[in-house]
Amino acid sequence: MEFTFTEEQRLVQQTVRQFAKDKLLPNYSRWDRGEKIGRAEIREVAELGIFGLRVPEQFGGQNADFVTCGIMNEELSRGDFNYSLFLQLGMMIAELLAAYAQPEVQAEWLPRMATGDAVMAIALTEPAAGSDAANITTRAVKTGDAYVLNGEKASITFAGNADAGLVLARTAKGGARGISAFLVPFDAPGVSRQVYNSAGARLHQRGSLFFDNVRIPAAYLVGDESGGFYQAMIAFDFNRALVALAALGAARQSIDETIEYTKGRQVFGKPLATFEGVAFQVAEYLTLLETARLVAYKCLWLKDQGQRHTQEAAMAKWMGPKVSAEAIHACMILHGHYGYSMEVPLEQRWRDVVGFEIGDGTPEVMKGIIAREAFGKAYTAYKE
Ligand SMILES: Cc1cc2nc3c(=O)[nH]c(=O)nc-3n(C[C@H](O)[C@H](O)[C@H](O)COP(=O)(O)OP(=O)(O)OC[C@H]3O[C@@H](n4cnc5c(N)ncnc54)[C@H](O)[C@@H]3O)c2cc1C
């Protein structure tokens, strides 16, 4: 067993942690005030390499190992949870395009993704199909050398600001087996967007996407027709560990701030930190956060080894955001009335993290996956 990061990974950790502290944390509250991120800022973060992590080197990316991607993701979130979604969606889509897209689609989109010039989304969820994702009804019909898309996607991260997305649409009857993936440029005629008033993570402009007779070249089909759902799940698997690490990074930063605060705050003539009722809460959350972190990194390590990691991914995904949200909540209380102010970043972090207890699969769905792996497919409630 080996629990240490390599020398190179430690350097990445230090570099991104410093960047997050100096550049991201002081500006974190902007998104709550309704500010929108500019392309110049996105390109500045792209210089850290976070957009091209899984873009192959020939297209300008790093083809980084998954543990390194996890480290960057965790550290970014210490400064601003929102930024980790650029990394996550960039990784998922690069992975799928590199594995399954036509060479001309790879050549057009992967270099733009690596430089941060193209912000990407994944559009699976629909108004009537979330946890039951194989039940989607958005249709893609082949007409000559094009597909025509019609339908509505709901709750899509970057709906308001993405340039393109991987859109899952039905090409045949049936459940998951009739679903295909398409790279859809969002400036195509017939695409429209509606941004939600989200409780948190407002940089993401989460919202709905509408496809009204959207015509896209047949070459933009990614992978096999009707194989899109299973291909996408490959990326959803490793991304669950990244969602967990993003939440855990935000929580760990909150704990570190709370340690400093409670050392300085005097109550009953002594530092708050000297009371075990305070220090033991911090000790408990450090334990829970580290436990969730280990399962998330184990998932990414398994992915790097080419081994199955579905169960670890689901474990990390339900546990990471949950213990993170609980830890941040405790940090708010330990700050007393200051913790209930928007002058400190705790309540914003809490709202951001809670969204990702839901996004990318709810705790119930994750436990269903763990149970399926443990009991076997014959004992699941769902049949295709
Ligand atoms: C912040 C955020 C970002 C998101 N980003 C994206 C994105 O980029 N792309 C995208 O495609 N989607 C995205 N989503 C959508 C997300 O994947 C779905 O919200 C999620 O899968 C749940 O689906 P739903 O909201 O329809 O809830 P439902 O499926 O209606 O579930 C409602 C509740 O019932 C529970 N439940 C459902 N089925 C069962 C069951 N069998 N047993 C027990 N309990 C059950 C769920 O756990 C949940 O608590 C995002 C969501 C959020 C909140």
Side-chain angles (χ1 to χ4, degrees), residues 312-327:
E312 289 76 8
M315 288 172 174
K317 172 65 182 69
W318 82 257
M319 193 184 183
K322 177 181 156 61
V323 295
S324 296
E326 288 169 4

Side-chain angles (χ1 to χ4, degrees), residues 89 122-127 129-132 154-157 201 206 236 355-356 358-365 382:
L89 283 157
I122 287 190
L124 172 62
T125 304
E126 297 183 358
S131 302
D132 188 8
S155 190
I156 308 304
T157 297
R206 189 174 63 97
F236 273 105
F356 286 85
I358 304 164
D360 216 339
T362 64
E364 290 72 32
V365 168
Y382 321 102

